[in-house]
C-alpha cells in the first residue's frame, strides 16, 4: 500500500498503528500500538513493528506526509498468566475480552491494575498481577499527537470510538492538535 502511484488517486490514507502484536500468540505479552521499536522486544528484527517504522516506509517512497494519518486504538490487546509487569513477559493465554479473547475496550481497561508508560517506545500497558494489557493512554496519545505534528502528517483516526465513551483519548489528541497549532503560529 505504500506505492506513491496509489496515493495519486487518494486525498489521504491511514496507517494502522495498532494490532502490531496480540494474543494470537498467547505465550508473549507485548506492545500492540507502540510508536517506536522497543529494544527489549525479543522477537527477530523482521518481526518487530512500530508506527514510526510504518510511517518511514511510506514517506521513504515519496508519499507526502500530509497524505498520511495514523490509526490509534480505543481498545487494548491482553494476555493472562503473566507474572511480571515488564513488556515481553511470558503469558499462558489470551486475557478474557468483550469482543474476543485478548481484546477489550479502553473504558474497561483504564482502571485495571497499574498503569505503565515508556516514552522511549511510545507504549503504555496495564498490569494487575495476572493480566497484562497493551493499549493507548493519555500519555501515548499526546506523544502520538506531537509526532503527527512534528512529521507534518495529515492527522489521526480511531478504531473504534465507542471504546472511549468519555473522550479521554480522543480529547487528548484533539487537544494536542490545538496546542501544537498555537505553538507553531
Amino acid at each position: 500500500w505504500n506505492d506513491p502511484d496509489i496515493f495519486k488517486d487518494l486525498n489521504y490514507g491511514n496507517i494502522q498503528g495498532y494490532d502490531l502484536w496480540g494474543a494470537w500468540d498467547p505465550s508473549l505479552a507485548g506492545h500492540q500500538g507502540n510508536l517506536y521499536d522497543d529494544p527489549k522486544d525479543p522477537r527477530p528484527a523482521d518481526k518487530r513493528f512500530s508506527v514510526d517504522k510504518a510511517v518511514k516506509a511510506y514517506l521513504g517512497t515519496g508519499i507526502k506526509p500530509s497524505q498520511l494519518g495514523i490509526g490509534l486504538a480505543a481498545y487494548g490487546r491482553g494476555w493472562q498468566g503473566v507474572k511480571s509487569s515488564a513488556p515481553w513477559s511470558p503469558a499462558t493465554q489470551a486475557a478474557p475480552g468483550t469482543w474476543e479473547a485478548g481484546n477489550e475496550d479502553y473504558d474497561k481497561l483504564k482502571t485495571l491494575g497499574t498503569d505503565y508508560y515508556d516514552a522511549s517506545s511510545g507504549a503504555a500497558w496495564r498490569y494487575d498481577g495476572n493480566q497484562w494489557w497493551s493499549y493507548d493512554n493519555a500519555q501515548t496519545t499526546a506523544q502520538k499527537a506531537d509526532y503527527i505534528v512534528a512529521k507534518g502528517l495529515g492527522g489521526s483516526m480511531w478504531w473504534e470510538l465507542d471504546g472511549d465513551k468519555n473522550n479521554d483519548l480522543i480529547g487528548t489528541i484533539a487537544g494536542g492538535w490545538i496546542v501544537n497549532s498555537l505553538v507553531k503560529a
Side-chain angles (χ1 to χ4, degrees), residues 32-53:
Q32 76 122 353
N34 45 303
L35 183 56
Y36 301 106
D37 281 352
D38 183 350
K40 295 176 185 163
D41 185 342
R43 298 174 300 159
D46 67 336
K47 302 294 182 198
R48 297 178 193 167
F49 305 107
S50 70
V51 173
D52 181 59
K53 191 180 284 182

Side-chain angles (χ1 to χ4, degrees), residues 28-185:
L28 185 64
H31 304 307
Q32 76 122 353
N34 45 303
L35 183 56
Y36 301 106
D37 281 352
D38 183 350
K40 295 176 185 163
D41 185 342
R43 298 174 300 159
D46 67 336
K47 302 294 182 198
R48 297 178 193 167
F49 305 107
S50 70
V51 173
D52 181 59
K53 191 180 284 182
V55 168
K56 287 177 178 174
Y58 277 76
L59 298 182
T61 66
I63 294 168
K64 293 183 227 170
S66 62
Q67 285 185 277
L68 289 180
I70 292 176
L72 292 93
Y75 66 86
R77 294 279 180 188
W79 296 259
Q80 63 185 2
V82 182
K83 300 199 182 315
S84 171
S85 63
W88 310 109
S89 292
T92 59
Q93 62 187 356
T98 298
W99 309 110
E100 65 180 324
N103 183 308
E104 190 58 82
D105 288 338
Y106 165 80
D107 285 336
K108 293 183 180 178
L109 295 176
K110 66 183 179 181
T111 59
L112 177 79
T114 302
D115 192 42
Y116 294 88
Y117 167 68
D118 175 30
S120 65
S121 63
W125 62 95
R126 297 198 74 89
Y127 179 67
D128 73 354
N130 177 45
Q131 292 183 18
W132 195 100
W133 288 90
S134 173
Y135 78 132
D136 274 314
N137 66 8
Q139 291 167 295
T140 60
T141 302
Q143 186 177 10
K144 289 175 183 180
D146 292 344
Y147 178 90
I148 290 165
V149 171
K151 294 283 187 191
L153 302 180
S156 65
M157 59 77 67
W158 286 93
W159 189 274
E160 69 186 77
L161 295 176
D162 68 348
D164 180 23
K165 289 183 176 46
N166 295 324
N167 296 317
D168 298 337
L169 302 177
I170 297 154
T172 297
I173 205 153
W177 286 109
I178 292 167
V179 168
N180 282 310
S181 296
L182 292 173
V183 169
K184 283 186 158 186

